[in-house]
């Protein structure tokens, strides 16, 4: 049986991502690939990141797979639909079974199925995917989708009458140490490292140590791993890191975990395991301010951390509370400053346009940035992802009803406190105010640059006033 995994992300089709040029391998399907390999099923990964849609289509037509498993997220949704249309319109691929998984499929399962997918895998995919290929091997290619999915937890399909059929939820893996390391040998990992090095002068590799997030932020999707916290042992993680160090020439590691410092005991064990193995690494991670303190900062630094991203989302406590972030904004500021004082870089994430946010809240966020002075920050405009509490709260105030097959949740806009144009100017003001503060603090020739930034900031504030209503 020929099994092919892919993910539908094409870097060359995304000008913004080309500008950023910080690609990471598709760890999700590499875990699935490794799990099938471990259980005796040979498979192949077509890594679309540095390829193109036409090459993927030629690959499928020349070597038609019995199973085409596609990782699907919000960013890749439209390409996945394009791929489904191609498979369904190509005679040579009439025997190909399309299986979709990933964070986008749970809350749009019926739409994906009615647009040509055969099976939807919801939640954690390793055991479900293994059950699917085992049954295909036992029953043959002629088995109908409904028969294939029957009795396999974590599957959604259409029955013989064309109605939605969903099996019970798949139980999550209890012991993540049972997972093999991602099948990085299935892709050309050096292409990622080279892309980083050519643009940034250093290379980065991604590693996952945990699954799930126990927190309740209303805008965040928990469609795959749910509101859980499960983690590989420090020793297993360090085993993987040691193997990566032997096989690849990379400079830094990006831990993709939602809250890297959630367990302080795990972090201490991780530090000890690194020391025992004599591994000297540099990494960055994401965390929450309420899971940091002076001891955690010390452990991070001793483990090789050079940059910590501390979620804030807003500088206004009222907005943070509306998001159900359950964190104190003053603690965020304190931990950003403490991280920098310890000799590590601090980054933070911000979100504008959350329901109920006022201009005063935005100004408070600007003050928050100027006071905490993170080395890096990102700003996004809030958008509702289906399945999240934010989606439910804003669904009745959507400004338009986009065509599902030609849009994503990012295209959804809702009735905010101010018009959309207002936030464009608010983001400009925020960037220029932060730049003003940095240049002013630098002094010297920076004073003249600071004044330019201040003028741009005032102009942006004028734009906010004009577009306030």
């Amino acid at each position: 049986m020929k099994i092919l995994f892919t993910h539908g992300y094409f870097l060359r089709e995304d000008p913004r991502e080309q500008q950023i040029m910080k690609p990471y391998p598709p760890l999700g399907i590499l875990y699935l690939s490794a799990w099938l390999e471990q259980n005796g099923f040979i498979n192949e990964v077509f890594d679309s990141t540095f390829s193109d849609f036409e090459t993927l289509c030629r690959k499928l037509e020349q070597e038609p797979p019995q199973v085409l498993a596609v990782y699907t997220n919000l960013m890749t949704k439209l390409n996945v639909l394009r791929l489904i249309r191609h498979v369904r319109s190509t005679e040579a691929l009439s025997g190909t079974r399309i299986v979709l998984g990933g964070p986008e499929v749970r809350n749009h399962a019926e739409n994906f199925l009615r647009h040509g997918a055969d099976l939807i895998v919801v939640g954690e995919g390793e055991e479900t995917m293994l059950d699917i290929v085992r049954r295909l091997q036992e029953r043959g290619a002629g088995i109908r989708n409904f028969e294939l999915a029957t009795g396999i937890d974590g599957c959604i399909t259409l029955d013989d009458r064309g109605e939605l059929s969903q099996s019970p939820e798949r139980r999550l893996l209890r012991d993540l140490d049972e997972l093999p390391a991602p099948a990085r040998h299935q892709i050309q990992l050096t292409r990622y490292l080279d892309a980083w090095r050519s643009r940034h002068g250093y290379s980065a590799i991604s590693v996952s140590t945990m699954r799930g997030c126990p927190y309740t932020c209303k805008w965040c999707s928990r469609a795959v791993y749910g509101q859980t916290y499960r983690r590989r042992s420090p020793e297993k993680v360090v085993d993987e890191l040691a193997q990566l160090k032997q096989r690849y020439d990379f400079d830094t590691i990006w831990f993709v975990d939602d809250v890297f410092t959630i367990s302080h005991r795990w972090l201490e064990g991780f530090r000890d395991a690194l020391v025992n193995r004599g591994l000297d690494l540099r990494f960055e991670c994401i965390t929450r301010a309420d899971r940091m303190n002076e001891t955690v900062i010390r452990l991070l630094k001793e483990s090789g951390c050079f940059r910590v991203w501390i979620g804030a989302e807003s500088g206004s406590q009222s907005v943070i509370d509306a998001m159900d972030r359950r964190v104190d904004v003053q603690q965020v500021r304190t931990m950003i400053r403490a991280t920098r004082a310890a000799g590590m870089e601090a980054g933070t994430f911000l979100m504008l346009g959350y329901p109920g946010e006022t201009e005063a809240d935005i100004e408070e966020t600007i003050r928050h940035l100027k006071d905490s002075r993170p080395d890096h920050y990102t700003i996004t405009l809030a958008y509702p992802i289906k399945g999240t509490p934010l989606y439910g709260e804003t669904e009745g105030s959507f400004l338009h009803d986009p065509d599902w097959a030609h849009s994503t949740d990012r295209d959804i806009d809702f009735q905010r406190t101010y018009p959309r144009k207002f936030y464009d100017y608010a983001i400009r003001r925020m960037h220029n105010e932060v730049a003003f503060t940095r240049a002013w603090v630098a002094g010297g020739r920076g004073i003249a640059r600071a004044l330019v930034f201040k003028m741009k900031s005032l102009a942006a504030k004028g734009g906010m006033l004009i577009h306030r209503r």
Side-chain angles (χ1 to χ4, degrees):
M1 176 164 35
K2 184 170 179 55
I3 305 164
L4 182 70
F5 289 97
T6 191
H7 54 105
Y9 172 64
F10 304 100
L11 180 59
R12 66 181 65 180
E13 294 183 0
D14 192 327
R16 186 172 181 275
E17 289 295 311
Q18 288 180 47
Q19 186 178 11
I20 296 170
M21 195 51 71
K22 292 185 176 181
Y24 288 108
L27 287 181
I29 59 174
L30 297 185
Y31 268 112
L32 290 172
S33 173
W35 185 264
L36 291 192
E37 282 185 346
Q38 181 174 271
N39 285 276
F41 285 90
I42 297 172
N43 61 85
E44 186 178 356
V45 174
F46 183 95
D47 185 7
S48 59
T49 299
F50 298 102
S51 188
D52 54 66
F53 184 76
E54 291 71 25
T55 302
L56 172 55
C57 291
R58 285 197 300 272
K59 166 73 174 177
L60 293 173
E61 292 165 17
Q62 292 167 4
E63 304 174 55
Q66 187 172 346
V67 177
L68 174 62
V70 190
Y71 173 81
T72 310
N73 62 21
L74 188 148
M75 181 182 292
T76 63
K77 169 194 167 182
L78 297 182
N79 277 335
V80 171
L81 289 174
R82 183 162 56 136
L83 182 60
I84 292 172
R85 287 194 296 271
H86 176 79
V87 172
R88 290 293 170 244
S89 63
T90 304
E91 185 176 354
L93 298 172
S94 60
T96 294
R97 196 89 55 157
I98 301 175
V99 181
L100 304 185
E104 187 69 4
V105 301
R106 177 186 292 275
N107 296 294
H108 299 283
E110 184 169 2
N111 278 328
F112 279 113
L113 290 166
R114 299 204 184 280
H115 280 77
D118 291 296
L119 293 176
I120 303 294
V121 171
V122 293
E124 204 163 39
E126 281 83 2
E127 291 186 316
T128 305
M129 196 66 202
L130 179 60
D131 284 349
I132 289 171
V133 296
R134 277 176 172 165
R135 181 162 292 178
L136 273 172
Q137 185 182 56
E138 293 167 359
R139 300 284 298 277
I143 185 173
R144 294 175 298 175
N145 291 332
F146 181 62
E147 294 174 321
L148 175 58
T150 298
I152 297 180
D153 290 349
C155 272
I156 305 177
T157 189
L158 299 177
D159 63 20
D160 293 341
R161 296 173 298 174
E163 296 179 358
L164 199 68
S165 174
Q166 182 167 357
S167 64
E169 195 76 18
R170 167 77 60 175
R171 291 184 62 182
L172 298 170
L173 291 169
R174 290 185 177 182
D175 184 5
L176 294 192
D177 280 354
E178 295 178 4
L179 289 170
R184 294 184 177 90
H185 60 275
Q186 291 271 32
I187 66 172
Q188 292 180 287
L189 187 60
T190 54
R191 297 195 68 176
Y192 290 87
L193 304 179
D194 291 344
W196 272 78
R197 194 171 285 119
S198 62
R199 178 64 61 86
H200 307 288
Y202 68 97
S203 59
I205 200 168
S206 56
V207 173
S208 170
T209 78
M210 60 176 275
R211 289 182 172 182
C213 178
Y215 295 96
T216 55
C217 305
K218 290 184 176 181
W219 41 264
C220 188
S221 174
R222 290 173 283 274
V224 176
Y225 301 128
Q227 201 171 330
T228 66
Y229 168 68
R230 294 163 298 137
R231 202 163 202 171
R232 298 156 62 204
S233 65
E235 293 75 20
K236 275 285 188 178
V237 173
V238 172
D239 284 345
E240 180 181 351
L241 295 175
Q243 292 171 4
L244 290 173
K245 195 75 173 175
Q246 291 176 350
R247 296 175 185 174
Y248 304 102
D249 178 21
F250 60 91
D251 300 302
T252 65
I253 298 164
W254 167 245
F255 285 112
V256 301
D257 312 316
D258 290 334
V259 188
F260 188 74
T261 66
I262 190 169
S263 169
H264 298 173
R265 185 162 72 174
W266 185 94
L267 185 60
E268 184 173 8
F270 177 65
R271 187 276 314 272
D272 293 344
L274 287 171
V275 171
N276 292 338
R277 296 288 290 271
L279 281 180
D280 183 16
L281 302 169
R282 279 171 51 83
F283 69 86
E284 60 181 309
C285 61
I286 303 173
T287 189
R288 293 169 51 99
D290 59 333
R291 299 310 301 155
M292 291 187 72
N293 54 38
E294 295 294 337
T295 300
V296 168
I297 290 173
R298 175 179 55 81
L299 287 171
L300 284 170
K301 190 168 185 182
E302 290 174 355
S303 300
C305 183
F306 74 93
R307 182 184 298 145
V308 185
W309 291 87
I310 303 170
E313 310 310 334
S314 177
S316 167
Q317 189 64 51
S318 63
V319 175
I320 288 176
D321 292 343
M323 295 174 171
D324 203 16
R325 283 279 297 159
R326 304 187 186 186
V327 69
D328 181 77
V329 68
Q330 188 56 52
Q331 188 177 20
V332 176
R333 294 169 188 166
T334 299
M335 288 299 101
I336 289 175
R337 290 194 293 262
T339 297
R340 298 187 73 227
M344 293 184 290
E345 296 178 17
T348 195
F349 307 109
L350 297 168
M351 182 184 295
L352 292 187
Y354 200 81
E357 182 186 55
T358 66
E359 188 172 351
D361 293 321
I362 293 173
E363 291 298 321
E364 186 61 29
T365 299
I366 293 174
R367 285 192 288 273
H368 163 74
L369 278 176
K370 295 170 73 171
D371 181 45
S372 57
R373 297 182 188 177
D375 299 281
H376 312 276
Y377 67 95
T378 67
I379 306 174
T380 59
L381 191 66
Y383 58 88
I385 299 173
K386 191 169 185 181
T388 65
L390 175 59
Y391 190 99
E393 290 177 4
T394 60
E395 189 173 8
S397 61
F398 287 174
L399 297 179
H400 60 284
D401 185 18
D403 175 14
W404 182 85
H406 298 92
S407 67
T408 73
D409 289 349
R410 282 184 175 177
D411 300 312
I412 297 174
D413 202 4
F414 56 89
Q415 186 67 51
R416 306 174 195 269
T417 310
Y418 309 104
R420 183 67 176 260
K421 192 69 176 178
F422 171 92
Y423 297 101
D424 294 337
Y425 284 101
I427 291 172
R428 292 185 203 176
R429 173 162 167 73
M430 189 171 292
H431 284 312
N432 282 291
E433 274 297 309
V434 172
F436 160 74
T437 301
R438 288 175 175 173
W440 187 267
V441 170
R445 295 181 179 179
I447 299 297
R449 295 178 64 246
L451 295 176
V452 173
F453 288 128
K454 175 59 77 173
M455 291 176 64
K456 291 181 177 180
S457 172
L458 292 173
K461 187 171 186 179
M464 292 167 65
L465 290 171
I466 292 171
H467 295 280
R468 182 180 288 167
R469 294 182 180 179

